[in-house]
Amino acid sequence: MFTSVLMIEKPLTPEDVDFVTTLHGEERISFVVLLQPRGDQADVLLRAIDDVAMGELREAVREGEEPEGKEAREPAEIGLEYSLRALREAGAEAVGQVVEDHPLDKLKSVVDDAGADEVIVLTAPHYVEEFFHRDWASRARHKVGVPVLKLFAHSE
């Protein structure tokens, strides 16, 4: 069985589930999902700049309204359970956890513990972080010792 560690920021859409579960054709796949809710490390200004760069001005204005820190924990847990259920319904094995602090440190230990074959970072575009190679995928490539695939999440 092929094992992927899947890093996400929000619950998977049906399109995301279809996308990640069909990446390896008919091969059976197991996912270890790490969902990081917005927290203190997620800079509101950088998110707003990304929104402006994508032409989503209304979203840029609302960035300060998003729950962060402890307020984001419960919605993240609900989103994780939804995502795990969707992956299982698509025929994959799936376990996961919400990661609040230092997601890349946690990623390294999860990759090692699971004997993962790859890491998939499924995220919205973060232009500022990507430009400076500070996004999850760029940083993970130097840390985990397995291939890291960066995919853009679908939005609903």
Side-chain angles (χ1 to χ4, degrees), residues 4 6-7 14 22 25 30 35-36 59 64 70 75 79-80 83 99 103 109 118 120 128 136-137 147 155:
S4 292
L6 179 60
M7 291 187 71
T22 59
S30 171
L35 187 146
Q36 183 184 27
E59 293 299 319
K70 292 181 184 192
L80 176 63
S83 298
V99 179
S109 66
E118 71 180 359
I120 300 172
V128 175
W136 284 349
S155 59

mmCIF file of all heavy atoms in Angstrom, residues 4 6-7 14 22 25 30 35-36 59 64 70 75 79-80 83 99 103 109 118 120 128 136-137 147 155:
data_model
loop_
_atom_site.group_PDB
_atom_site.id
_atom_site.type_symbol
_atom_site.label_atom_id
_atom_site.label_comp_id
_atom_site.label_asym_id
_atom_site.label_seq_id
_atom_site.Cartn_x
_atom_site.Cartn_y
_atom_site.Cartn_z
ATOM 1 N N SER A 4 0.662 8.263 1.851
ATOM 2 C CA SER A 4 0.881 9.691 1.636
ATOM 3 C C SER A 4 0.536 10.458 2.897
ATOM 4 O O SER A 4 -0.500 10.198 3.513
ATOM 5 C CB SER A 4 -0.013 10.225 0.513
ATOM 6 O OG SER A 4 0.359 9.712 -0.727
ATOM 7 N N LEU A 6 -0.743 13.914 3.961
ATOM 8 C CA LEU A 6 -1.471 14.987 3.292
ATOM 9 C C LEU A 6 -1.605 16.164 4.246
ATOM 10 O O LEU A 6 -2.269 16.071 5.275
ATOM 11 C CB LEU A 6 -2.854 14.472 2.867
ATOM 12 C CG LEU A 6 -3.802 15.426 2.176
ATOM 13 C CD1 LEU A 6 -3.210 15.959 0.877
ATOM 14 C CD2 LEU A 6 -5.128 14.722 1.900
ATOM 15 N N MET A 7 -0.934 17.270 3.908
ATOM 16 C CA MET A 7 -1.022 18.494 4.720
ATOM 17 C C MET A 7 -2.074 19.404 4.106
ATOM 18 O O MET A 7 -2.003 19.737 2.919
ATOM 19 C CB MET A 7 0.320 19.224 4.751
ATOM 20 C CG MET A 7 1.385 18.503 5.520
ATOM 21 S SD MET A 7 2.883 19.507 5.700
ATOM 22 C CE MET A 7 2.329 20.751 6.870
ATOM 23 N N PRO A 14 -15.022 17.819 -2.354
ATOM 24 C CA PRO A 14 -15.149 16.580 -3.127
ATOM 25 C C PRO A 14 -14.140 16.501 -4.271
ATOM 26 O O PRO A 14 -13.610 15.424 -4.566
ATOM 27 C CB PRO A 14 -16.590 16.631 -3.650
ATOM 28 C CG PRO A 14 -17.320 17.456 -2.623
ATOM 29 C CD PRO A 14 -16.317 18.495 -2.179
ATOM 30 N N THR A 22 -6.950 9.655 -6.719
ATOM 31 C CA THR A 22 -6.709 9.087 -8.048
ATOM 32 C C THR A 22 -5.305 9.383 -8.584
ATOM 33 O O THR A 22 -4.989 9.007 -9.709
ATOM 34 C CB THR A 22 -7.754 9.605 -9.059
ATOM 35 O OG1 THR A 22 -7.684 11.027 -9.133
ATOM 36 C CG2 THR A 22 -9.161 9.177 -8.664
ATOM 37 N N GLY A 25 -3.441 6.130 -9.674
ATOM 38 C CA GLY A 25 -4.217 5.149 -10.429
ATOM 39 C C GLY A 25 -4.976 4.200 -9.529
ATOM 40 O O GLY A 25 -5.639 4.621 -8.589
ATOM 41 N N SER A 30 -3.060 4.950 1.424
ATOM 42 C CA SER A 30 -3.348 5.269 2.812
ATOM 43 C C SER A 30 -2.893 6.707 3.057
ATOM 44 O O SER A 30 -1.796 7.087 2.642
ATOM 45 C CB SER A 30 -2.575 4.305 3.721
ATOM 46 O OG SER A 30 -2.678 4.707 5.063
ATOM 47 N N LEU A 35 -3.998 18.563 9.486
ATOM 48 C CA LEU A 35 -4.712 19.805 9.223
ATOM 49 C C LEU A 35 -4.231 20.847 10.224
ATOM 50 O O LEU A 35 -4.275 20.623 11.429
ATOM 51 C CB LEU A 35 -6.230 19.612 9.365
ATOM 52 C CG LEU A 35 -7.063 20.818 8.954
ATOM 53 C CD1 LEU A 35 -8.378 20.356 8.341
ATOM 54 C CD2 LEU A 35 -7.326 21.764 10.098
ATOM 55 N N GLN A 36 -3.758 21.954 9.699
ATOM 56 C CA GLN A 36 -3.337 23.040 10.573
ATOM 57 C C GLN A 36 -4.333 24.175 10.479
ATOM 58 O O GLN A 36 -4.486 24.801 9.426
ATOM 59 C CB GLN A 36 -1.952 23.566 10.229
ATOM 60 C CG GLN A 36 -1.552 24.631 11.234
ATOM 61 C CD GLN A 36 -0.235 25.279 10.938
ATOM 62 O OE1 GLN A 36 0.187 25.342 9.809
ATOM 63 N NE2 GLN A 36 0.400 25.791 11.966
ATOM 64 N N GLU A 59 -12.272 39.167 0.203
ATOM 65 C CA GLU A 59 -11.612 38.230 1.114
ATOM 66 C C GLU A 59 -10.509 38.912 1.897
ATOM 67 O O GLU A 59 -10.313 38.637 3.084
ATOM 68 C CB GLU A 59 -11.040 37.031 0.343
ATOM 69 C CG GLU A 59 -12.094 36.137 -0.270
ATOM 70 C CD GLU A 59 -13.012 35.512 0.762
ATOM 71 O OE1 GLU A 59 -12.517 35.084 1.827
ATOM 72 O OE2 GLU A 59 -14.224 35.475 0.521
ATOM 73 N N GLY A 64 -9.169 39.515 8.896
ATOM 74 C CA GLY A 64 -9.132 39.725 10.339
ATOM 75 C C GLY A 64 -10.284 39.082 11.080
ATOM 76 O O GLY A 64 -10.247 38.929 12.303
ATOM 77 N N LYS A 70 -6.988 29.249 19.569
ATOM 78 C CA LYS A 70 -7.904 28.309 20.213
ATOM 79 C C LYS A 70 -9.291 28.336 19.595
ATOM 80 O O LYS A 70 -9.984 27.326 19.566
ATOM 81 C CB LYS A 70 -7.976 28.587 21.704
ATOM 82 C CG LYS A 70 -6.685 28.279 22.406
ATOM 83 C CD LYS A 70 -6.756 28.530 23.884
ATOM 84 C CE LYS A 70 -5.367 28.268 24.457
ATOM 85 N NZ LYS A 70 -5.339 28.208 25.870
ATOM 86 N N PRO A 75 -13.458 24.139 14.853
ATOM 87 C CA PRO A 75 -13.764 24.003 13.425
ATOM 88 C C PRO A 75 -12.748 23.131 12.688
ATOM 89 O O PRO A 75 -13.097 22.399 11.765
ATOM 90 C CB PRO A 75 -13.735 25.442 12.899
ATOM 91 C CG PRO A 75 -13.887 26.316 14.081
ATOM 92 C CD PRO A 75 -13.357 25.546 15.250
ATOM 93 N N GLY A 79 -13.540 19.825 10.553
ATOM 94 C CA GLY A 79 -13.076 19.739 9.170
ATOM 95 C C GLY A 79 -12.209 18.519 8.921
ATOM 96 O O GLY A 79 -12.287 17.884 7.871
ATOM 97 N N LEU A 80 -11.388 18.177 9.898
ATOM 98 C CA LEU A 80 -10.544 16.987 9.777
ATOM 99 C C LEU A 80 -11.405 15.729 9.708
ATOM 100 O O LEU A 80 -11.196 14.875 8.848
ATOM 101 C CB LEU A 80 -9.558 16.896 10.936
ATOM 102 C CG LEU A 80 -8.697 15.639 10.963
ATOM 103 C CD1 LEU A 80 -7.786 15.569 9.739
ATOM 104 C CD2 LEU A 80 -7.886 15.580 12.248
ATOM 105 N N SER A 83 -13.015 15.441 6.371
ATOM 106 C CA SER A 83 -12.050 15.069 5.338
ATOM 107 C C SER A 83 -11.675 13.599 5.420
ATOM 108 O O SER A 83 -11.598 12.909 4.392
ATOM 109 C CB SER A 83 -10.788 15.933 5.463
ATOM 110 O OG SER A 83 -11.103 17.296 5.270
ATOM 111 N N VAL A 99 -2.857 19.852 13.780
ATOM 112 C CA VAL A 99 -1.512 20.264 14.194
ATOM 113 C C VAL A 99 -1.534 21.773 14.398
ATOM 114 O O VAL A 99 -1.819 22.512 13.460
ATOM 115 C CB VAL A 99 -0.463 19.896 13.124
ATOM 116 C CG1 VAL A 99 0.912 20.359 13.552
ATOM 117 C CG2 VAL A 99 -0.489 18.418 12.845
ATOM 118 N N PRO A 103 4.119 22.845 12.266
ATOM 119 C CA PRO A 103 3.641 21.734 11.437
ATOM 120 C C PRO A 103 4.751 20.990 10.709
ATOM 121 O O PRO A 103 4.633 19.789 10.481
ATOM 122 C CB PRO A 103 2.686 22.407 10.453
ATOM 123 C CG PRO A 103 3.115 23.836 10.415
ATOM 124 C CD PRO A 103 3.630 24.136 11.788
ATOM 125 N N SER A 109 8.232 13.880 11.812
ATOM 126 C CA SER A 109 8.011 12.710 12.665
ATOM 127 C C SER A 109 6.899 11.820 12.117
ATOM 128 O O SER A 109 7.004 10.594 12.179
ATOM 129 C CB SER A 109 7.723 13.127 14.109
ATOM 130 O OG SER A 109 6.507 13.811 14.212
ATOM 131 N N GLU A 118 5.426 9.608 0.310
ATOM 132 C CA GLU A 118 5.411 10.970 -0.226
ATOM 133 C C GLU A 118 4.663 11.879 0.732
ATOM 134 O O GLU A 118 3.953 11.416 1.626
ATOM 135 C CB GLU A 118 4.728 11.019 -1.594
ATOM 136 C CG GLU A 118 3.225 10.798 -1.522
ATOM 137 C CD GLU A 118 2.523 10.852 -2.867
ATOM 138 O OE1 GLU A 118 3.179 11.086 -3.902
ATOM 139 O OE2 GLU A 118 1.295 10.649 -2.882
ATOM 140 N N ILE A 120 2.029 15.200 0.333
ATOM 141 C CA ILE A 120 1.230 16.054 -0.547
ATOM 142 C C ILE A 120 0.821 17.274 0.266
ATOM 143 O O ILE A 120 0.205 17.140 1.319
ATOM 144 C CB ILE A 120 -0.034 15.335 -1.069
ATOM 145 C CG1 ILE A 120 0.331 14.093 -1.868
ATOM 146 C CG2 ILE A 120 -0.886 16.302 -1.900
ATOM 147 C CD1 ILE A 120 -0.872 13.231 -2.250
ATOM 148 N N VAL A 128 3.211 35.312 -1.611
ATOM 149 C CA VAL A 128 4.328 35.948 -0.915
ATOM 150 C C VAL A 128 5.245 34.877 -0.331
ATOM 151 O O VAL A 128 6.462 34.916 -0.521
ATOM 152 C CB VAL A 128 3.814 36.899 0.191
ATOM 153 C CG1 VAL A 128 4.975 37.462 0.999
ATOM 154 C CG2 VAL A 128 2.989 38.024 -0.419
ATOM 155 N N TRP A 136 4.915 25.790 2.907
ATOM 156 C CA TRP A 136 5.095 24.452 3.462
ATOM 157 C C TRP A 136 5.860 23.530 2.526
ATOM 158 O O TRP A 136 6.758 22.821 2.944
ATOM 159 C CB TRP A 136 3.754 23.814 3.762
ATOM 160 C CG TRP A 136 3.062 24.302 4.991
ATOM 161 C CD1 TRP A 136 3.572 25.097 5.975
ATOM 162 C CD2 TRP A 136 1.732 23.996 5.364
ATOM 163 N NE1 TRP A 136 2.628 25.296 6.938
ATOM 164 C CE2 TRP A 136 1.491 24.648 6.586
ATOM 165 C CE3 TRP A 136 0.714 23.256 4.785
ATOM 166 C CZ2 TRP A 136 0.268 24.551 7.244
ATOM 167 C CZ3 TRP A 136 -0.492 23.162 5.443
ATOM 168 C CH2 TRP A 136 -0.707 23.813 6.656
ATOM 169 N N ALA A 137 5.481 23.500 1.264
ATOM 170 C CA ALA A 137 6.100 22.549 0.331
ATOM 171 C C ALA A 137 7.587 22.825 0.161
ATOM 172 O O ALA A 137 8.408 21.906 0.196
ATOM 173 C CB ALA A 137 5.382 22.577 -1.014
ATOM 174 N N PRO A 147 9.631 12.437 -1.555
ATOM 175 C CA PRO A 147 9.125 13.437 -2.500
ATOM 176 C C PRO A 147 7.982 14.259 -1.902
ATOM 177 O O PRO A 147 7.148 13.742 -1.152
ATOM 178 C CB PRO A 147 8.614 12.597 -3.674
ATOM 179 C CG PRO A 147 9.356 11.311 -3.570
ATOM 180 C CD PRO A 147 9.575 11.076 -2.102
ATOM 181 N N SER A 155 -11.607 25.341 -4.316
ATOM 182 C CA SER A 155 -12.425 26.108 -3.374
ATOM 183 C C SER A 155 -13.874 25.891 -3.713
ATOM 184 O O SER A 155 -14.238 25.598 -4.839
ATOM 185 C CB SER A 155 -12.059 27.588 -3.428
ATOM 186 O OG SER A 155 -12.267 28.077 -4.733
#
